[in-house]
């Protein structure tokens, strides 16, 4: 593996004893944790907050990470970098009117010194009126994108909005063949989690989405700040997708596999009920020991 610091390959001088990357989506971002026995050189290099780091293992790249924690423990140094700059934790309030999703993403990313990009969804949808109340920019965007049936991810110095339906339609990055006796797989089904329907009720509209595969589930009603029926309908479908994806998961532990990255599509072939289409929600890669652990959630394509 290679470790880059402010664009320079320092692998041979870093004295690495551990290198772990944890990635997913949501307001917490990705994290790179390294441990080194070369304390003297790290002090000489005088690391600063938001210095850039990136780990590379073959085709796998962590993307640009920003240093925010140094911890000396005896003869070792532990450094933690995240996919968001340190200013991203600042909470603020704001009111946005007649603002598109793409512009909201760009404004909140710029506040954190980052760029933005929209993938697999319509960044041109306009919000007539929406509020951010004492939230960090990542928390605000992650909340809004969950309404839209999308994922918020920070990667490569960008705030990214990623449409979940577009990910579900992608070709699989990897096909796994699993059996009932696989010791490195944990399959969890939360039988009481799926909702049959979800209704968004506001002073301006009432909109309902249904999951055709969850007829036995409960009905859910939410009060979200939708100001028109088009927004209410999208949010009802988006929130039902968000909730029903939590009903089933696979945890797969394996040798290092670059195909296990957040938002990767995975197909599972199995003679059990694990078979089908899945998406990686989170992954942890131990790059020095050559191990990966991924949490997958099943694709939900039955919401109308």
């Amino acid at each position: 593996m290679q470790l880059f610091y402010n664009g320079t390959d320092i692998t041979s001088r870093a004295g690495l004893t551990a290198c772990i990357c944890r990635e997913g989506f949501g307001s917490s971002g990705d994290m790179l944790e390294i441990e080194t026995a070369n304390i003297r050189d790290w002090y000489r290099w005088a690391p600063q907050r938001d210095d850039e780091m990136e780990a590379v293992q073959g085709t796998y790249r962590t993307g640009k990470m920003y240093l925010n924690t140094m911890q000396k423990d005896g003869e070792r140094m532990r450094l933690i970098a995240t996919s968001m700059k340190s200013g991203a934790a600042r909470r603020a309030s704001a009111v946005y009117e007649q603002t598109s999703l793409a512009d909201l993403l760009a404004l909140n990313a710029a506040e954190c010194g980052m760029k933005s990009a929209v993938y697999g969804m319509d960044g041109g949808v306009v919000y007539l009126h929406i509020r951010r109340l004492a939230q960090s920019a990542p928390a605000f965007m992650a909340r809004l994108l969950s309404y839209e049936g999308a994922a918020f991810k920070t990667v490569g110095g960008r705030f990214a909005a990623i449409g979940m339906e577009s990910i579900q339609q992608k070709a699989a990055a990897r096909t796994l063949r699993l059996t009932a006796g696989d010791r490195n797989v944990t399959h969890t089904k939360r039988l009481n989690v799926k909702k049959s329907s979800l209704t968004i009720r506001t002073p301006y509209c009432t909109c309902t989405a249904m999951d055709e595969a969850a007829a036995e589930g409960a009905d859910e009603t939410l009060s979200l700040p939708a100001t028109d029926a088009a927004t209410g309908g999208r949010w009802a479908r988006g929130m039902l997708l968000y909730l029903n994806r939590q009903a089933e998961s696979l945890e797969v532990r394996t040798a290092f596999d670059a195909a296990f990255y957040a938002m990767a599509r995975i197909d599972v072939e199995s003679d059990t009920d694990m078979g089908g289409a899945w998406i990686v929600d989170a992954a942890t890669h131990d790059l020095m020991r050559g191990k990966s652990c991924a949490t997958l959630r099943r694709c939900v394509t039955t919401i109308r």
Side-chain angles (χ1 to χ4, degrees), residues 16 22 58 65 68 70 116 141 230 237 242 257 260 283-284:
L16 295 178
R22 297 179 176 87
M65 300 281 201
N68 69 14
M70 294 177 61
S116 66
M141 290 310 309
R237 293 187 295 275
Y242 173 82
D257 192 335
F260 287 145
T284 298

Side-chain angles (χ1 to χ4, degrees), residues 148-287:
E148 294 284 358
F152 172 75
K153 182 168 177 58
T154 48
V155 59
R158 286 182 169 83
F159 277 22
I162 307 170
M164 190 63 69
E165 289 189 3
S166 70
I167 297 297
Q168 294 188 151
Q169 294 167 6
K170 288 179 64 175
R174 172 76 77 246
T175 297
L176 304 178
R177 291 168 179 82
L178 304 179
T179 67
D182 278 322
R183 295 183 177 182
N184 292 319
V185 176
T186 301
H187 182 207
T188 303
K189 299 181 78 171
R190 300 168 182 85
L191 302 178
N192 61 341
V193 167
K194 274 197 171 184
K195 308 295 182 183
S196 174
S197 70
L198 187 142
T199 299
I200 301 292
R201 196 181 304 278
T202 80
Y204 309 99
C205 62
T206 299
C207 302
T208 299
M210 310 285 294
D211 187 340
E212 296 174 346
E216 302 301 318
D219 299 321
E220 181 82 12
T221 299
L222 299 177
S223 179
L224 299 181
T227 56
D228 57 82
T231 302
R234 281 199 326 274
W235 287 5
R237 293 187 295 275
M239 284 303 297
L240 188 54
L241 174 61
Y242 173 82
L243 293 174
N244 284 1
R245 288 188 71 247
Q246 312 309 310
E248 190 174 4
S249 64
L250 278 178
E251 183 181 280
V252 181
R253 300 169 293 279
T254 182
F256 172 74
D257 192 335
F260 287 145
Y261 56 89
M263 305 303 290
R265 263 274 296 111
I266 304 292
D267 279 346
V268 173
E269 294 180 354
S270 178
D271 55 2
T272 73
D273 59 355
M274 293 185 290
W278 299 77
I279 293 173
V280 176
D281 259 30
T284 298
H285 299 291
D286 187 330
L287 299 183

Side-chain angles (χ1 to χ4, degrees), residues 70-135:
M70 294 177 61
Q71 181 182 58
K72 181 182 178 298
D73 183 8
E75 297 180 352
R76 297 185 184 277
M77 178 80 77
R78 180 170 171 257
L79 297 96
I80 296 176
T82 67
S83 56
M84 289 181 278
K85 290 189 175 182
S86 54
R90 187 182 71 88
R91 295 189 177 194
S93 298
V95 176
Y96 305 94
E97 295 185 339
Q98 296 286 350
T99 308
S100 72
L101 171 62
D103 286 343
L104 271 179
L105 192 67
L107 287 168
N108 281 270
E111 179 183 313
C112 303
M114 299 175 72
K115 297 181 180 180
S116 66
V118 178
Y119 302 99
M121 61 184 302
D122 183 6
V125 296
V126 174
Y127 303 103
L128 301 181
H129 180 94
I130 195 164
R131 296 182 180 184
R132 170 182 162 193
L133 299 174
Q135 289 178 298

Side-chain angles (χ1 to χ4, degrees), residues 17-29:
T17 56
C19 183
I20 296 173
C21 179
R22 297 179 176 87
E23 63 165 292
F25 56 87
S27 59
S28 58

